[in-house]
């Protein structure tokens, strides 16, 4: 099962990814998470990516494609994978298709989660993430059992550097200009499904399971 999660920043890609990978037993590949891990470790890649991420701009295509395709070569991807936040431009999608074709593979499903801009802003500015395991919460919508503490692993929750009003608004703008054209790209490929992301976490997940099958 080779899957892509598409949707604007704050649509719930990471939240649904956690549930999808558990049910279908495939690895979660988030380019955003890979960059954040590199920033934390202070690597060269992290330094390069941070410049763009702090402004809510996209990291240059060549850099992202190399990182994503390298990750896809790993052994744990041989029976499927869930891409979250990649591809994000038509160029990245074409490079991904070329890479997969070279391995005799293709994308089976693209899950496009849609949420309106007002709701996205509320979600992004209210998001809190676990410093250690990356689990995602929301101060109002999905509060942790104990304020500021991760339900999953007990570590402190933090706010992402790009979850302020200004950067979040720019990320939505960048999504509309650079990533939204992918909807057309995958419509032509005939493998995209659209999901209303505003119907509650469990309902969104049930809609995904309906598409992918038990
Ligand atoms: P990335 O980390 O991918 O961020 P993003 O796309 O902006 O998406 P988010 O992680 O913000 O949102 P999400 O959809 O995962 O939502 P979540 O589940 O957390 O990328 C960050 C940056 O890295 C980019 O800006 C770019 O610079 C760079 N980058 C990454 N990939 C790249 C690429 N391919 N090319 C170039 N650059 C790249 O949920 C959000 C909030 O809503 C949470 O608080 C959650 O609890 C809540 N929530 C979730 N579901 C629901 C629900 N159903 N109802 C109510 N609340 C909900
Ligand atoms: Mg995410």
């Amino acid at each position: 099962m080779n899957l892509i999660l598409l949707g604007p920043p704050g649509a719930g890609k990471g939240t649904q990814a956690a549930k999808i990978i558990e049910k279908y037993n495939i690895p979660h590949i988030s380019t955003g998470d890979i960059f954040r891990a590199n920033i934390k470790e202070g690597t060269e890649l992290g330094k390069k990516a941070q410049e763009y991420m702090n402004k809510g701009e996209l990291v240059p295509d060549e850099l992202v494609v190399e990182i994503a395709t390298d990750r896809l070569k790993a052994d744990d991807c041989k029976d499927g994978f869930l891409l979250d936040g990649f591809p994000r431009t038509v160029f990245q999608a074409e490079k991904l298709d070329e890479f997969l074709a070279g391995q005799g593979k293709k994308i089976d499903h693209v899950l496009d989660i849609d949420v309106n801009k007002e709701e996205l802003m509320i979600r992004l500015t209210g998001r809190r993430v676990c410093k250690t395991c990356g689990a995602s919460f929301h101060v109002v919508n999905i509060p942790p059992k104990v304020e500021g503490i991760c339900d999953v692993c007990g570590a402190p929750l933090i706010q992402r550097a790009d979850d302020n009003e200004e950067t979040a608004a720019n990320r939505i703008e960048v999504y509309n200009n650079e990533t939204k054209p992918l909807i057309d790209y995958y419509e032509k490929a005939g493998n995209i499904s659209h999901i209303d992301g505003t119907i509650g976490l469990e309902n969104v997940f049930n809609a995904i399971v309906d598409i992918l099958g038990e």
Side-chain angles (χ1 to χ4, degrees), residues 9-10 13-15 31 36 57 85 88 92 127 137 160 171:
K13 300 183 297 295
T15 303
T31 40
R36 279 183 290 277
E57 300 292 333
R88 242 174 166 102
Q92 291 179 19
R127 173 167 53 187
F137 300 87
R160 258 170 58 174
R171 282 156 59 207

Side-chain angles (χ1 to χ4, degrees), residues 3-17 20 28-32 58 82-89 92 109-117 119-121 123-124 127 160 168 170-184 186 192-198 204 208:
L3 309 177
I4 293 175
L5 269 175
L6 193 65
K13 300 183 297 295
T15 303
Q16 295 300 326
I20 295 169
H28 176 203
I29 303 175
S30 155
T31 40
L58 294 185
L82 175 64
L83 286 168
D84 162 4
F86 178 87
R88 242 174 166 102
T89 62
Q92 291 179 19
H109 288 282
V110 179
L111 304 163
D112 169 41
I113 308 181
D114 191 33
V115 173
N116 60 70
K117 186 177 175 193
E119 172 70 11
L120 292 175
M121 287 301 291
R123 288 188 185 186
L124 291 170
R127 173 167 53 187
R160 258 170 58 174
N170 193 41
R171 282 156 59 207
I172 295 169
E173 182 83 16
V174 168
Y175 169 83
N176 285 330
N177 294 334
E178 302 193 45
T179 307
K180 227 176 173 178
L182 283 182
I183 295 179
D184 252 9
Y186 290 114
I192 190 168
S193 305
H194 305 284
I195 299 143
D196 178 357
T198 64
V204 173
I208 291 173

Side-chain angles (χ1 to χ4, degrees), residues 21-206:
I21 61 163
E22 201 192 335
K23 182 169 175 73
Y24 296 101
N25 200 22
I26 50 175
H28 176 203
I29 303 175
S30 155
T31 40
D33 287 350
I34 294 173
F35 290 136
R36 279 183 290 277
N38 275 274
I39 291 171
K40 209 168 150 187
E41 287 161 22
T43 67
E44 273 311 306
L45 171 66
K47 282 179 200 146
K48 275 188 206 155
Q50 193 167 24
E51 274 177 54
Y52 299 94
M53 291 171 79
N54 283 349
K55 290 185 276 189
E57 300 292 333
L58 294 185
V59 175
D61 279 340
E62 310 75 57
L63 210 60
V64 189
V65 168
E66 190 184 333
I67 275 131
T69 51
D70 264 357
R71 178 64 187 86
L72 286 168
K73 286 175 195 158
D75 205 41
D76 64 342
C77 296
K78 69 179 192 315
D79 296 326
F81 50 80
L82 175 64
L83 286 168
D84 162 4
F86 178 87
R88 242 174 166 102
T89 62
V90 171
F91 179 85
Q92 291 179 19
E94 287 167 352
K95 290 290 161 193
L96 173 65
D97 281 347
E98 279 171 29
F99 170 80
L100 291 174
Q103 292 199 324
K105 292 182 186 171
K106 62 173 180 50
I107 294 297
D108 298 312
H109 288 282
V110 179
L111 304 163
D112 169 41
I113 308 181
D114 191 33
V115 173
N116 60 70
K117 186 177 175 193
E118 291 68 33
E119 172 70 11
L120 292 175
M121 287 301 291
I122 293 169
R123 288 188 185 186
L124 291 170
T125 52
R127 173 167 53 187
R128 297 295 180 271
V129 291
C130 176
K131 227 178 133 173
T132 307
C133 75
S136 183
F137 300 87
H138 188 278
V139 286
V140 178
N141 297 347
I142 306 169
K145 290 193 188 87
V146 180
E147 199 188 320
I149 300 295
C150 177
D151 286 358
V152 183
C153 74
L157 300 179
I158 55 163
Q159 187 166 24
R160 258 170 58 174
D162 57 353
D163 276 348
N164 57 73
E165 294 254 349
E166 193 189 341
T167 312
N170 193 41
R171 282 156 59 207
I172 295 169
E173 182 83 16
V174 168
Y175 169 83
N176 285 330
N177 294 334
E178 302 193 45
T179 307
K180 227 176 173 178
L182 283 182
I183 295 179
D184 252 9
Y185 181 90
Y186 290 114
E187 285 297 355
K188 282 183 194 127
N191 56 2
I192 190 168
S193 305
H194 305 284
I195 299 143
D196 178 357
T198 64
I199 54 176
L201 198 158
E202 288 304 328
N203 291 330
V204 173
F205 183 60
N206 290 337

